[in-house]
Amino acid sequence: EKRDRNRQMVQNNIAERNKTQAEVEERQAKIDGMVQSMSIKDKELREKESESKEKQTKIHEHKGRIRELLEESQDIKKLNLIFAQMNEELKEQTQLLHNQLAVHTDQL
């Protein structure tokens, strides 16, 4: 009877150990899955961060180009004003030449 109880206790201990081992393996599998999932998410975040940096670099480049274009636009506006003034002066000189030509023609 004592042997039976001892045998039963040993079997119970083995069963408990096997149950505990199965629980440990199940928890480890869950942890491994979580670690793998976190690793994938970390990789995705790094890729998105890299894409974001590239986009910010492009935005910075575009802003620089826009600034250059605005400066060129201002230069063009200044040149247009200069050309408009020169055009007015040419009109006045042309009118003076027409007047002088008319006077000379009348004299002839």
Side-chain angles (χ1 to χ4, degrees), residues 60-87:
H60 183 72
E61 290 171 358
H62 287 293
K63 283 183 178 179
R65 182 65 183 134
I66 288 170
R67 258 190 247 88
E68 290 172 7
L69 290 172
L70 286 173
E71 289 173 6
E72 288 178 23
S73 174
Q74 291 299 319
D75 291 345
I76 290 170
K77 286 179 183 177
K78 290 175 186 173
L79 286 172
N80 280 338
L81 287 173
I82 292 170
F83 288 139
Q85 290 171 348
M86 290 172 65
N87 202 16

Side-chain angles (χ1 to χ4, degrees), residues 50-62:
S50 177
E51 289 172 7
S52 176
K53 286 181 182 177
E54 289 173 13
K55 286 179 182 176
Q56 285 186 353
T57 299
K58 285 182 181 178
I59 288 171
H60 183 72
E61 290 171 358
H62 287 293

Side-chain angles (χ1 to χ4, degrees), residues 90-105:
L90 284 173
K91 282 181 185 177
E92 291 173 8
Q93 289 177 3
T94 303
Q95 187 61 44
L96 286 174
L97 287 173
H98 279 292
N99 291 344
Q100 288 176 356
L101 183 61
V103 168
H104 286 299
T105 305

Side-chain angles (χ1 to χ4, degrees), residues 28-42:
Q28 187 62 48
K30 284 183 183 177
I31 289 171
D32 290 346
M34 290 169 58
V35 167
Q36 185 178 12
S37 174
M38 290 173 69
S39 176
I40 290 169
K41 287 181 181 176
D42 183 57

